[in-house]
Structures are given as structure tokens and as C-alpha cells.
Amino acid sequence: MSSTDTVFDFTRAERIGLSEAVFCAGKSPQQIAGILESARERDASLLLTRLDVAKYDALPAHLKAQTDWCDISKTAYFGQLPPLSLTGKVAIVSAGTSDAPAAREAERTLRHAGVECSFIIDVGVAGLWRLMDRVEDIRRFPIVIAVAGMDAALASVLGGLYGGALICVPTSVGYGAAEEGRTALNAMLASCAPGLLVTNIDNGYGAACAALRLLNTMQLR
Amino acid sequence: MSSTDTVFDFTRAERIGLSEAVFCAGKSPQQIAGILESARERDASLLLTRLDVAKYDALPAHLKAQTDWCDISKTAYFGQLPPLSLTGKVAIVSAGTSDAPAAREAERTLRHAGVECSFIIDVGVAGLWRLMDRVEDIRRFPIVIAVAGMDAALASVLGGLYGGALICVPTSVGYGAAEEGRTALNAMLASCAPGLLVTNIDNGYGAACAALRLLNTMQLR
Amino acid sequence: MSSTDTVFDFTRAERIGLSEAVFCAGKSPQQIAGILESARERDASLLLTRLDVAKYDALPAHLKAQTDWCDISKTAYFGQLPPLSLTGKVAIVSAGTSDAPAAREAERTLRHAGVECSFIIDVGVAGLWRLMDRVEDIRRFPIVIAVAGMDAALASVLGGLYGGALICVPTSVGYGAAEEGRTALNAMLASCAPGLLVTNIDNGYGAACAALRLLNTMQLR
Amino acid sequence: MSSTDTVFDFTRAERIGLSEAVFCAGKSPQQIAGILESARERDASLLLTRLDVAKYDALPAHLKAQTDWCDISKTAYFGQLPPLSLTGKVAIVSAGTSDAPAAREAERTLRHAGVECSFIIDVGVAGLWRLMDRVEDIRRFPIVIAVAGMDAALASVLGGLYGGALICVPTSVGYGAAEEGRTALNAMLASCAPGLLVTNIDNGYGAACAALRLLNTMQLR
Amino acid sequence: MSSTDTVFDFTRAERIGLSEAVFCAGKSPQQIAGILESARERDASLLLTRLDVAKYDALPAHLKAQTDWCDISKTAYFGQLPPLSLTGKVAIVSAGTSDAPAAREAERTLRHAGVECSFIIDVGVAGLWRLMDRVEDIRRFPIVIAVAGMDAALASVLGGLYGGALICVPTSVGYGAAEEGRTALNAMLASCAPGLLVTNIDNGYGAACAALRLLNTMQLR
Amino acid sequence: MSSTDTVFDFTRAERIGLSEAVFCAGKSPQQIAGILESARERDASLLLTRLDVAKYDALPAHLKAQTDWCDISKTAYFGQLPPLSLTGKVAIVSAGTSDAPAAREAERTLRHAGVECSFIIDVGVAGLWRLMDRVEDIRRFPIVIAVAGMDAALASVLGGLYGGALICVPTSVGYGAAEEGRTALNAMLASCAPGLLVTNIDNGYGAACAALRLLNTMQLR
Amino acid sequence: MSSTDTVFDFTRAERIGLSEAVFCAGKSPQQIAGILESARERDASLLLTRLDVAKYDALPAHLKAQTDWCDISKTAYFGQLPPLSLTGKVAIVSAGTSDAPAAREAERTLRHAGVECSFIIDVGVAGLWRLMDRVEDIRRFPIVIAVAGMDAALASVLGGLYGGALICVPTSVGYGAAEEGRTALNAMLASCAPGLLVTNIDNGYGAACAALRLLNTMQLR
Amino acid sequence: MSSTDTVFDFTRAERIGLSEAVFCAGKSPQQIAGILESARERDASLLLTRLDVAKYDALPAHLKAQTDWCDISKTAYFGQLPPLSLTGKVAIVSAGTSDAPAAREAERTLRHAGVECSFIIDVGVAGLWRLMDRVEDIRRFPIVIAVAGMDAALASVLGGLYGGALICVPTSVGYGAAEEGRTALNAMLASCAPGLLVTNIDNGYGAACAALRLLNTMQLR
């Protein structure tokens, strides 16, 4: 048996209601192509994350033709996208334009599971009116994914204004003391607002999976 | 106006469904007593966290008499405890005996909000059978708070077996490479299982607040 | 010559408009008493910072009698306090009760230089209305010292609402991911609001000195 | 609504006297071009920071033609530069040639706000005479922006010789123990000279914004 | 004598039973070619590690022709591979596809010493059944090399199920809180399972050398 | 069920050949006493680690009477010590006197499993002759536990002279740049000698468990 | 043989011209007393470092009577102090009063080797005139030990004014961004002045040993 | 005056006996060319450090023609090299081939000051015989520069065998726990051998300057 064959966790969706995605960051184009071929044979749909442009371009043409790639989030859908089954439950609220990659990764992951979300963007608290204008909108959603980098102050302010499930995604936006996202991560964890829940830096995929867990447990799906 | 007077966030419960608690770690016994007196005047109930034994002992006798203090979690209830209003929705799953302070802080915070939770303890994965024996029990709860220190491997294993809302509390248990809980925190954030949500180190209070947000948003409370 | 004699920087006030203070953290009670004796001989007034209760109690009675010690900020005035010469120019805005030590250190340092400041406290952004209620008050001051720990989100929100000189003091309030104030420090440095200026963690003294520099350069003193 | 549309903080200048700048580091050339187009339509002038040569080159020709780009500071002016309205108030003092990018970013940001500053360069304290020769010059300015990397000793020495407002910008110059600017940052924060104010690493833009806050609050602008 | 000549540790194999390998990361193609020439003259076989594709391609053709290079592990055999002398004693157990480089480096190092090992891959604990299916297989080996990144929870779970020698290799797989492998490293060191032994991050070579030490000391070789 | 009851991993010895020990650092004297009582009832023997003098003194007298406590290693044997069953296989080699706590913890753990080890102490490489005098002695043991703090250079030198199984325990000896043992830990992990295996800082218990794994897998026990 | 017996490096003085000192930080009073007894039997003189007051007080009276302890540096001479044999070659230059412990440790270590040094204290660069007044004095010494904490700017300024051997000792003076001496350490290592040599934080003993190496190699001793 | 003009520290050699070198890492080819032109006009010789191949290649041909560039150390001599004036006083001792860049930078810096040094290479302690074979050679030099990465154990072993001035240069060789040279740096600072002096990571230039300070102060130059 070769060390490069992949053993899928086929029973994941059944066990925990989330299907396995392909994290491409540590894989070669050859390995990714192998995984896609195997999905094609099983006629399966797949979500790929962290698929950078070089790896995407290196895929064989027939596989690329079946792939819907997004250059902002570096995610791809392989095969048929499942139908939309749920809407109006999740909002993605982001601080600035540079937070788009993580925000989009979350949105595309949700969409791959049949869930549509709404975007409320550019509401960073340095211009507080932008957030205040949208607070009532935000409150209509039972689940909010808040995406912010640098000081991540959006999370704390939102945490004091919104009482639903608040999933926080720190991003690696910024330089110097932003510490590649660690400052945003720590600020969200140490927030003065109670009950914030935090994912890894830039982990839009994880935030979406967490939202799906909540939707599952609420039996909305 | 004195710099030591406290401005309460009286509208918090109304705004976000969580009442303010008193974080005692940075406060003197005099400051804490002042807050309790003011609550007593308003006939209000309060939750106090991080109230160590020295500060607790330094409180005036008449305030101490109205205080129900827990030496494991270092939390206290001041005044009347609200009636129990919800049960069977939250389980606290912990890896080892040393995780008890954070686990108890979560339980006492939930209880102060009228929510009773169940404990499933000592299921650290070094003795995997202990967890496997309880998986079916755990799956009955829509929300699980997982408490673990050191390598926090419990979170990842549980994340692969349980599909509900999974709130992870890293603890500062361990020494050396445990890095006062940072290793557990990072391991939970970087988990190979999808959709885990993480709080600050030893933050049982925050985990309980997050659970209350979920219960609120599910309209179970 | 003994290695424990102290060479004062007698010309500091003349050079840069700030008189030398005594940082007691690294000094023994004997060294501090020696410094006070020497000030007494010159009939000089002194500001002491980081004078903890044990060191204060260990001072000889005749020196203690001339010392006005503050147990919140751990500062002391030795000798005659200079008259008040300026008011209404500096506000100290703090997030929570636990930020009082740094806030008070700033206030006492300013007062020792004859400058009175105003306190606007407990305006942490988790309860945003508390800050919004005071924004107009804050805007009346040309200089604001903002004191906050944990996620320090107050600094960013204030930076977007207030256009004057904004001196930010991160505090060591919090635990775990608060990293003893480093998260607050980094969040202030990486703030999404432009033009924030930052001091060391818990450095109320430094913030006050910076405010004095601004007052001096504006020729208000 | 698309997640890549940008919501400008149009009222920032009115609120805090500083107009919004475009931080290009986290944005694609497409996003930047979109922002410039929108500014062109409003006939607005813009400051762009962290615009590297690759992104600058990727801009459409007609936008590039209206852009004044500086290869040292990686800043650009888009549209009409406002007239010069203030001079002689701000000096930028830098330790070495390698500090030029941050120093220039500060100067260009000030110029974009109509403020001209003076440069006093290469006065690193390893050759102390260079600084001593310029001290009298420096003292003529109410505001000094000190830019230094490595050990950042310039800031401490200057802080003991100059009594005006001292805004310190640590730079990422150096290697190994310079820790990409963290050593300079920490040294400025922990300086033995009192009242230094510090910005993020390499943040010439932030230092200039802070200087503008001081000029505004002094009512010089 | 030139500073670029290399002094080999010729007596290493005799002293400690491990022959010297060439760590190519810090060496230029010229230096590597010089070492290979010198081995060729002595008719010696060599193992090269961290030989990236650029350096491999830059080797002279006659040396390349004698080199068996592996693009997954970036290792190469130069000269004649020794015959296989031992089998069935070492298993390499890995969590995911991205761990292949370190796993393969271990396998190739063992093979270069005449030891064949078995692979048990993709048994990360997020899909626990994959590991449980293989536990009996794993228990047949006296020595296991466990390779995992991110949270490295595989090591702890395996440590509680398997009682033989357990050599753990953390990998740099992951992002953000994975901290380039430091989280996996720390989690393995702080594991709740007893008696795990850990190597440097991505150090498949070191794990193989440790396994060879064990085989030597057991007198199996 | 109370959150303070302990669920023992009773099948550990059967599963992996190592019996569970009681890590006392995170437990109260009450919790420890409870565990001892329960062991007493089952007539079981126990190893306790990290039992500091205050906790030891706080145990009830009848439990203390059955406890053999060691003030150097802070370990204790509760109940009957098992007979000695193996000798001459493990040497503990330590750099200096201050490494004694970890060295003793390893020795006492081995003894509790019936294995006697030999000590070779004070062979730090600053006085290299001390090690060279003992190298032949050391080579007689199939397994060596090397204990060293500060720069941990002993591990590298020993790794080049000794070919058996080398288990390295970094200690927290030293100050400043010793970083509470992290420098020793990293130096052992990054050693220029091949095949070193490393445990957590000060983890003599873990090193002993690893040695027991090796002895088990060699079928010497 | 007991694990607590100490093997002295008796030939150190002969080998490298420096006699072994006793580092007391990791040793119990019992261990220290044992070492002193053994020195007393050999009629040897000893230097002890990091001997805190509790351990000093815990020594048996007859040993204490032969011990000259210094409460600033926490060093002690046991037995006869060697005669003074060299003077005028080493100056210890320190920034502030709080640097006295490390400065004194260096002085006492030199004195124990028969070398007298001069103190030039309180010349921190925040009051630059204090240093400039002493530069000519300092230049008379071939070797200077510079002791400074916080930003350690003294080292860089001195390095640009003085051309002899410059041994820099960072101290743990300061708080917050001083990072327990790491900022001073890094600033000295990253100094803009060329040719500074650095020891561990607070390591006055090491600086003195380095000075002795220089004196030995210059054949002044 | 332009911010890109350079103010040389012309009096450095006179003041401290070391002439200024050009650190090219933070400078553009244009800036470097400007400095060389200005040196050419003054007919001065210059040492350049950290001049990578891209910058070297980008220099104008007539300047390149006067430049002697070394691709191992990335240093260059511009103009006439001064005659050799001292030999036999400095040895550079290095652990492995990968340490050559720093070792060569030291050698070339010394040579530029007229001092010839000897190389003793590849004496890393994993093969201790290589060092032991050369100890007598090494002892003939009053000054040794020891260059090592990874665990830097060479420094400690050498420090116990050699009594002269020992200048230690940690290198960034290694990966993972080598932490880009910080482990070697910390290990040298925390060495169990007394009196080691340490420079920044990879700072061969600084080590050479320190050696020149010693030679100056010994009046050998």
C-alpha cells in the first residue's frame, strides 16, 4: 500500500452531520487530482479549501472543467452543488475589505451544505455608525459569524449589542503588532463581552461548520 | 465623582439576554463589598467569578452571610438564586479531575441563569474506553461544553463523534510544554475535527454564557 | 563611592519640563528611604511610583508621616504637593473597575505636576451605551488618556469617535489569552482607528508624562 | 449585495478630522482599482498606503496616470494633492537610511493633509555627535516623530533631550534579535525616558495621523 | 585550508551505530556536489535530507545519475542502497495525507539502514473508526513512529491504546494556531498519555534514527 | 453524580503495561485524600507525583502513615512497594545537582514498577572530563535517561558517544535565557546528534514511563 | 551512590583559569550546607551566587559564621577571601539604582578572583549629561561591564563612545514590554553600535567571568 | 535636503577604532550605489555586509568592477583592501558546513581591518573527537570566535576546555525547534560554562568587531 493513498472518513456526515472537505494547503496537485478522480468515480461532490491559483491551474483540464473555483476564498466546488435548503438563519458580518477571504470561505462552505447566508460588510468599529446602522438587521439572525482582523474590536462591540450565537473568526489582516492574526485571536478570546466563541485564524471553513452544527442541533436542517 | 464607583451595565440582560457578572480578579475586597452593598440595596442577585478564598474571607460578615461560595470554582452567588427553568440541554464533559474548576464555573454560571446541566467527567482520551462508554449519553444533549487541558485531545476526538454544538474550554492544567493552557487552546483551535468553538483558557463562565446564547437563539429559554 | 548612592537627573525638569520620579519596583525600602532623606534635606517634593504596601510600611515613621500614599495606584507624594495650575484639559477614560490602578497612577502623576484631570469610568464597549452617553463630554477635552485591558476595544471605538490627542494605556487586566496585557497592548497598536498613541502596559505614569509633554508643547503650562 | 463592495467611512473627516486612507496590503489590484474608480467618480482625492510595485503596476493605465506613487514609502496620492497649509510644526527624526520607508510614509501622509514636515536623518546614537549637532534644531518643533529600528536607542536619548510631543515609530530594520521590529517596539515602550508615545511597527501613517490629531487639538489646523 | 571543506564524522557508525547523513538545507549545490564527489571517490553510499528540487536539479548530471531522489520526502540516496536486513519491527502511523513528507523521510532513512517499515496512514482521530480498525495491526510492532500535525491528538489516543515504544513526530501541517508545528509539538510533549517520546517538528529522519537506536539496543540489528 | 469523583483508568496496565499515577499538581488535598482512601479500600498501591510539601502535610494522618514521600522529587508511594524485578538496564545521567528533582522522579517511577536504575550524576559538559570518565560505564546500559537544564549540551555530547536508546529530559534549571526550560527542551529537539528522544520539561515520570515501554517491548519485563 | 552527592569540577581553574562557583538557585539549604562542609574540609574558599535570604538564614550557624553574604547581590564568600592582585582594569557602568544586584554580583565575583573594579553608576541615557560627564573616566579602562535594563539604551550609546572591550549585562528591571529583561537583552544584541558582547539576563557573575577571561588572555593576571 | 542622503559617522574609527560598514539589508541598490559613489569620490575603502546577489548584480558596472564580493558571506570589499597587519591572534571555530556564512563574514570583516584569522571547522560536538583533536591548536589563540547553530552545544564544550576570550555567534541553521537561531542564542546565553560572550544571530560582523575591540584594548593593533 502506498503512503500517498488517502483513506476518506466516509462516515463523517452520518456521524456528525458534516461531510469531509479537502484541505489543499499541504497537498501536491497530483494528490489533489487523485482525490478528485476518486470522487468523480464515486460521482461525489466535494468542497476544496486553501486551493491556491498555482495548484488550481495545475489540475488536469477535465477535472478543472468540473470545478467552480473562487479566487477570493481559494475554495472550489467539485461536481454538482447541492440544492439550497435553508436561508435567513446565518449572517456574516465583517470589519473590512481585507477580511473577504475568510468571510467568503465561510459563505461558500455554508452554500456547499445547502445553506444561504447574508453579508453585512465593512462595519469595522473605527466608523461606528456603519455598524449601528445595521444592528437591527443583524439581530434578525439567530447565528452570526463575525470576521475581523487587527484589533478585532468589532467582535466585542457586536457581543454587547447582539444576543444570539456569535461565532468569531480572527483574520491575519494587519502587520507588526497584529502578529499575523494572533492579536485578533487573543482579543476575541479575552473579549469584555460575554459568550463569544472563537475559531482559528482565517478559519472561515471552521466557522461555517460550527454554524452547521448549531443548525443541526436546532433541528433546522 | 470617584474613580472607584462602578457603572453597571444595567441593560445588558435586556439587550443580549445575559446579566452582568462580577469578575473579582482585578478588584479589592473593598470594591467587591461596595458592589454587593449596592446589589443588596437594589435587592438584586449577582454572580461573582474568580473570588479567591482570601477575598471571600475579607468580606463583611453580613454580606458573607448572603453569599453561597464554591471553593472549587471560586464562584459565588449573592442573594436569591433564581429558580431552575431548563434542564437536559447542556452536558459538561471533562478530561480529568484537575479540570474541575473550569467545569464547575460553567455549571454554576448556567445554574445562576436557571439552567441545569449534566456532568460527564474523567473521560480523557488516554483511557479511550471511558469516553466510548459515554458517547451515546453525550449525543443526547444539543450542546456540549468540553473541558480539557494539556494536549486537549478530548476535544478533537469528541468533535469527530458528536455532531451538536461543541464549546471547548482549554484549561491551564499541566506544566512545561502545556504553556499554562496555551497548548490546549491552540490544539482546540487547530483541531482536525471540524466546527469546534473555543473560549479563553479556564473560561468556564464564558462557555456557559455561550451556551445561554445558543439556548436563547433556539428559543428554549 | 558606594554602588547604592543615587545620581539624580537634577536638570531633567529644566531640559524637558518633567521632573524625575522614583520608580520603587526595583528598590529596597532602605534605598527608597535614602532617596527620601536626601529629598527632605533639599526640601524637595517627590513622586514615587510602584510603592507597594510592604515597602511603604517599611519606611521610617518620620518619612511616612510626610508621605501621602494611595493604595489603588501604589503612588505616593513626598513633601508638599504643588498648587493646582491647570484644569479641564485632560480626561481619563477607562473601561472597567479593574483598570483603576493605572488610571489613578496617571491622575496622581498629573496632579503632582499641578494638572487636574477628569475621570470618565466604566465605559467599556461591551455596554456601548455607557460610552455613547459620554462622548460629548469626552470631546470637550483636547487630550484623552484611554485605559483598558483584555481586548482594549474601547481604544478603537473611541479613536473613531474622538479627534483629539488619544493616549492609550493597556492594562494587565484579564487572564489566559489576555497575556498579562500584551493582547491589549497589541490591539491598541494594531487598532483599525488611525492615530492612536500607546504606552507600556499599566503605565499610567508614562501616559501622564506624555500628556504633560503635549500641554507643554501647546504652551498651556 | 456583493461581499467585495466597500462601504467608505465618509464621515470620518468630519468626526475626527482625519480622512480615510486605503490600506492596500490585504487588497487585490481589482479591489484597489474599484476604489479608485469610485473616488474618481466623486472627484475625490485619496491616500493609498502599502501599495507595492506589483499592485501599482497592475492598475489600469488611466488610473495610474492620476496616481503619484513613491517607491520608498509605497504610498500613492490619487487625484489632486491638497494645498500646503501648515509648516514648521513637525520634524521627522530618523536613525538610519533603512528607516526611510516609515519616515517617508509619515511625511507623505502629512503632506496629503496639507502639512509640511522637516527631515533630520541619520542621527542614530551609535554616532552620538550626529544627534547632538541637531538637538537645537529639533527643539524648535512642537512635535517630533522619531523613527528607529534595531535597539531604537534614539528614542530614549531624544526623550531625555527634547521636551515636546514625541511620537515614536519602531521599524522592522535588523535581523535575529531585532525580532522584525518587536525589540524596537518594546524598547520604546519600556524606555527609561518618560512620556514617549509609540505606534505600531513601521507605522509611519499612524504616526502622521497622531501628529494631525495633536495639530487639530492645538487648533493649529 | 578552505572554510568550505567538510570534515566528516567517519567514526560515527562505529561509535553509535548510525552513519552520518547530509543535511542539505543550509548548503549550496556546490557544497553538496563536493560532498557527493568525495563520497564517490570513497565508493561510499550516502543519505541526503532536505534536498529540495532546485538543489537537486542543480547537481551535475553524472552525480544526479547516481542519485535516487524522492519528491515527497526530499530525500535522496547516493550510490548503492544497502540490502534489506530487517522487517516487521517498525510501523509508521500517520494522521493525514499532509503528513506524508515526514512519514516518508522516516521510511527512507530506515530503508537506507536496511530496515523496512510498514505504513498505516490516514488514521487521524477526527474519524476515530479509521484508527480503531487498525489498532490490532499496530500492536504487532514493537516500535511505532506516530506522525501528526495540527492538534496531534493521534499521539495521545495511540499512547493510550498501544504499549510499545512510541516515537512521535509533530508536523508543520496547519495554519494560524497550529503555529508551524509548535502546537503539535507541545501537545505531544504535554500529552495525557504516559511515556510518549518526541522529536523535532517534521523530523522524520530523527525518528528513524531513534528507531535504529532502539533496534540496535535490542540487538535486533 | 458529583463532579469531584474520579473515574480511574483501571485497564491501563492491561492495555499498555503502565499503571495510572496520580498527578497532584491540579488537585486539592481533599481530592488526593479521596483517591488514596479509594485505593486503600481496593488494597491498591499508587504512585503520586508533584505532591508538594503543603499538600503532603495536609493529608490525614492515617493516610500519611502509609505514604513514603520524597522531598527531592515530590513523589510518594502509597501502600506496598512492588518487589524489585529488573536491574542493570537503565542509567540516569544528569548534568548537575539542580537536575536532581527530575532525575529522582524518574528513578522513583521506575522503582515503583519494579525496575532499579543507576545514577551517573554531575557530568555536565562544562567539565567534560567528568563525562569522559564515565562513558564506558554508560555504554553498558541499553537505555539512558539524560537529564539536563540550561543549554542541555550534555544531551548532544552524549548522543554522539552513546548508541543506545537515549531519552532526554530537559529541566527548568537556570534563569533568563534558559526560559524556564524551553531552551533546554529546544536544544535537545534541535540537537546535532541524531536520534535523541525528548520528554516534557522536568518530566522524569514520563521518561521513566518511556523506559518501561522500551523494556516491555524488548520483553525484558 | 546517592543522587545528591556533588561531583566538583576540580580541574576547572587549571583548565580555563576560572574556579567553580556554587549556583544556589536550584539547590536546597541542605545541599548547600553539604557543599560548604566539603569545602571546609578541604580548607577551600568558595563563591556562592543566587543565595537568597531564606536559604542563607537556613544554613547551620557554624557555616554562616564563615560566610560573608551581600544582600544586594545575593552572593556570599565562604572561607578566606583571596588577596587583591589587580586593579584599574575593569569598570562597571550601570544605568540605574535597580541595576545594582547584577552590578554587585559582577563586582563581588571579580573581587573573589582578586580583581578590584570601579563603579560608575546611574548614567542611564535619559539624562545623557550624567554619562557624558564620565566618558573620559570610562575610557581609561580596557574593559567595561555595562549593566542596564528596560530599553538598555546605555549599551548602544556607550558602544559608540568607548572603543575597549564592552561586556553588556541586560537586567530584568522594568515591567510589561520590558518582558523580564528580554527587551534589554534583545536591544543589546541588536544594537546599532558594533562589537557589543552580551551575557544572560542579570548575569553579573558571567560578565565577571568573561572579564577574567580577557584579563587572563591579556596575561594581566 | 533629501531623506535618502546618508550622513556617515566619519569619526567612528577615531572614536572607537572601528570604521563604519554598510549594512545593505534594508537598502535599495540605488542607495548602495550612491554610498559607493560617495566613497569613490573620497577614495575611501568600504566593507559592505548582507549584500545579496540580486543587489550586487544590480550595481552599475563601474562600481561592481571595484568590488570584491563573496557569495558565501554576502560581504563585499569596495576599493583597496588594507594591508595585513596582524596574524595568529584570532581563531574562528565552527560546528558545521552550514555555519560558513557567519564564519566567513567574521573572517572578511577582520581581514578588512588588517587582521588574519585561522579557521577550525566542522568540530560540532556530535562527533566529539573532531574537537578534541584540535583543542591544543585552539588554545594557542588568545581570542576564539565560536560559530554554531541548532543546539550550539559546541560553545559550552569549548567554554569548558578553553580559557581565553570566547565570542559566540549563534546561527540560524536548523528548523522547527531551532527557532531560526533563537535556540542557539539562548543556549549560548544560558550555557553551563562560565564567561561566554554572545552576539546576535548570524552576526559574524559583530563578532569580528568585538574581536577588534579586544585587540585594540590589548594594544596589539
Side-chain angles (χ1 to χ4, degrees), chain C residues 100-150:
Chain C
R104 272 288 171 103
E105 192 184 77
E107 180 247 355
R108 299 253 303 170
T109 300
L110 286 166
R111 180 62 195 84
H112 193 259
V115 176
E116 192 187 55
C117 65
S118 301
F119 277 115
I120 293 163
I121 67 163
D122 281 345
V123 292
V125 297
L128 192 63
W129 61 272
R130 297 180 301 186
L131 178 63
M132 299 314 276
D133 275 8
R134 307 299 300 276
V135 165
E136 285 316 306
D137 286 3
I138 293 171
R139 285 190 176 136
R140 282 201 293 270
F141 294 88
I143 300 171
V144 163
I145 295 174
V147 185
M150 296 172 172

Side-chain angles (χ1 to χ4, degrees), chain G:
Chain G
M1 176 184 172
S2 159
S3 75
T4 57
D5 290 352
T6 299
V7 180
F8 271 101
D9 183 7
F10 293 121
T11 66
R12 181 177 291 183
E14 191 182 309
R15 263 187 356 259
I16 61 168
L18 299 165
S19 51
E20 202 179 21
V22 182
F23 174 70
C24 302
K27 297 185 178 68
S28 66
Q30 290 70 25
Q31 290 174 316
I32 298 166
I35 292 169
L36 295 186
E37 283 294 359
S38 127
R40 199 171 63 97
E41 279 157 24
R42 287 177 297 126
D43 206 23
S45 156
L46 270 184
L47 173 68
L48 298 97
T49 65
R50 311 273 158 153
L51 180 66
D52 64 35
V53 67
K55 284 180 185 170
Y56 172 63
D57 282 343
L59 292 179
H62 71 285
L63 294 173
K64 233 169 130 169
Q66 284 183 270
T67 304
D68 166 10
W69 185 71
C70 161
D71 72 337
I72 293 177
S73 62
K74 314 300 177 208
T75 54
Y77 301 145
F78 180 78
Q80 202 64 36
L81 194 65
L84 200 63
S85 60
L86 185 71
T87 181
K89 296 298 178 194
V90 183
I92 296 177
V93 177
S94 65
T97 308
S98 307
D99 299 315
R104 271 290 171 102
E105 191 183 78
E107 180 246 356
R108 300 254 302 172
T109 301
L110 286 167
R111 179 63 195 82
H112 193 259
V115 175
E116 192 186 56
C117 64
S118 300
F119 277 115
I120 292 163
I121 66 162
D122 279 346
V123 292
V125 297
L128 193 63
W129 61 271
R130 296 180 302 185
L131 177 63
M132 300 314 276
D133 275 9
R134 307 299 300 275
V135 166
E136 283 317 306
D137 287 3
I138 292 169
R139 285 188 176 139
R140 281 200 293 269
F141 294 87
I143 299 172
V144 162
I145 294 172
V147 184
M150 296 172 172
D151 54 355
L154 171 61
S156 290
V157 175
L158 198 54
L161 296 171
Y162 166 78
L166 188 45
I167 298 168
C168 298
V169 184
T171 68
S172 55
V173 171
Y175 59 91
E179 296 277 357
E180 285 150 47
R182 277 187 288 270
T183 294
L185 172 63
N186 283 338
M188 284 166 162
L189 289 165
S191 173
C192 51
L196 273 56
L197 291 167
V198 187
T199 70
N200 197 358
I201 297 165
D202 292 328
N203 192 4
Y205 167 74
C209 287
L212 293 170
R213 283 177 177 267
L214 303 194
L215 293 171
N216 288 346
T217 214
M218 290 182 201
Q219 296 178 310
L220 287 170
R221 291 214 309 168

Side-chain angles (χ1 to χ4, degrees), chain H residues 8 27 44-45 49 59 81 104-105 189 191 198 200 212:
Chain H
F8 270 101
K27 298 186 178 67
S45 155
T49 64
L59 292 178
L81 194 64
R104 272 287 173 104
E105 191 183 76
L189 288 165
S191 173
V198 187
N200 197 358
L212 292 170

Side-chain angles (χ1 to χ4, degrees), chain B:
Chain B
M1 176 184 171
S2 159
S3 76
T4 57
D5 289 353
T6 298
V7 181
F8 270 100
D9 183 7
F10 293 121
T11 66
R12 180 175 292 182
E14 190 182 309
R15 265 190 349 262
I16 62 169
L18 299 165
S19 52
E20 201 177 23
V22 182
F23 175 69
C24 301
K27 298 188 178 67
S28 67
Q30 289 72 26
Q31 289 174 317
I32 298 165
I35 291 169
L36 295 186
E37 282 294 1
S38 127
R40 200 171 60 98
E41 281 157 24
R42 287 178 295 125
D43 205 24
S45 156
L46 270 183
L47 172 69
L48 299 97
T49 64
R50 311 268 158 159
L51 180 67
D52 63 34
V53 68
K55 284 180 184 169
Y56 172 63
D57 282 343
L59 293 179
H62 71 286
L63 295 173
K64 232 168 131 170
Q66 286 183 268
T67 303
D68 165 9
W69 184 70
C70 162
D71 73 337
I72 293 178
S73 62
K74 314 301 177 206
T75 54
Y77 300 145
F78 180 78
Q80 201 66 35
L81 194 63
L84 200 61
S85 59
L86 186 70
T87 181
K89 297 298 178 193
V90 183
I92 297 179
V93 177
S94 64
T97 308
S98 306
D99 299 315
R104 273 288 171 104
E105 192 184 76
E107 180 248 356
R108 299 254 301 170
T109 300
L110 286 166
R111 179 62 194 83
H112 193 259
V115 176
E116 192 186 56
C117 63
S118 301
F119 278 115
I120 293 163
I121 66 164
D122 281 345
V123 292
V125 297
L128 192 63
W129 62 272
R130 298 181 301 186
L131 178 62
M132 300 314 275
D133 274 9
R134 307 299 299 276
V135 165
E136 284 315 307
D137 286 3
I138 292 171
R139 284 188 176 139
R140 283 200 292 269
F141 294 87
I143 300 172
V144 163
I145 296 174
V147 185
M150 296 172 171
D151 54 354
L154 171 62
S156 290
V157 174
L158 198 52
L161 296 171
Y162 167 78
L166 189 45
I167 298 169
C168 299
V169 184
T171 68
S172 54
V173 171
Y175 58 89
E179 296 277 357
E180 286 150 47
R182 277 188 289 272
T183 294
L185 171 63
N186 284 336
M188 283 166 164
L189 289 165
S191 173
C192 52
L196 274 54
L197 291 166
V198 188
T199 71
N200 197 359
I201 297 164
D202 291 329
N203 192 5
Y205 167 74
C209 288
L212 293 170
R213 283 176 176 269
L214 303 195
L215 294 171
N216 289 345
T217 216
M218 289 183 205
Q219 297 177 309
L220 287 170
R221 291 212 310 165

Side-chain angles (χ1 to χ4, degrees), chain H residues 43-61:
Chain H
D43 205 23
S45 155
L46 270 184
L47 173 69
L48 299 97
T49 64
R50 312 269 159 156
L51 181 67
D52 64 34
V53 67
K55 285 181 184 170
Y56 172 63
D57 282 344
L59 292 178

Side-chain angles (χ1 to χ4, degrees), chain H residues 70-132:
Chain H
C70 162
D71 73 337
I72 294 177
S73 63
K74 314 302 178 204
T75 54
Y77 301 145
F78 180 78
Q80 200 67 35
L81 194 64
L84 199 63
S85 60
L86 186 70
T87 181
K89 297 296 178 193
V90 183
I92 296 178
V93 178
S94 64
T97 309
S98 306
D99 300 314
R104 272 287 173 104
E105 191 183 76
E107 181 248 354
R108 298 254 301 171
T109 300
L110 286 166
R111 180 60 195 84
H112 193 258
V115 176
E116 192 186 56
C117 64
S118 301
F119 276 116
I120 292 162
I121 67 162
D122 280 345
V123 292
V125 297
L128 192 63
W129 62 271
R130 297 180 300 185
L131 177 62
M132 300 314 276

Side-chain angles (χ1 to χ4, degrees), chain F residues 36 40 56 59-69 77-79:
Chain F
L36 296 186
R40 201 170 61 98
Y56 172 63
L59 292 178
H62 71 286
L63 294 173
K64 231 167 131 170
Q66 285 182 269
T67 304
D68 165 11
W69 184 70
Y77 300 144
F78 180 78

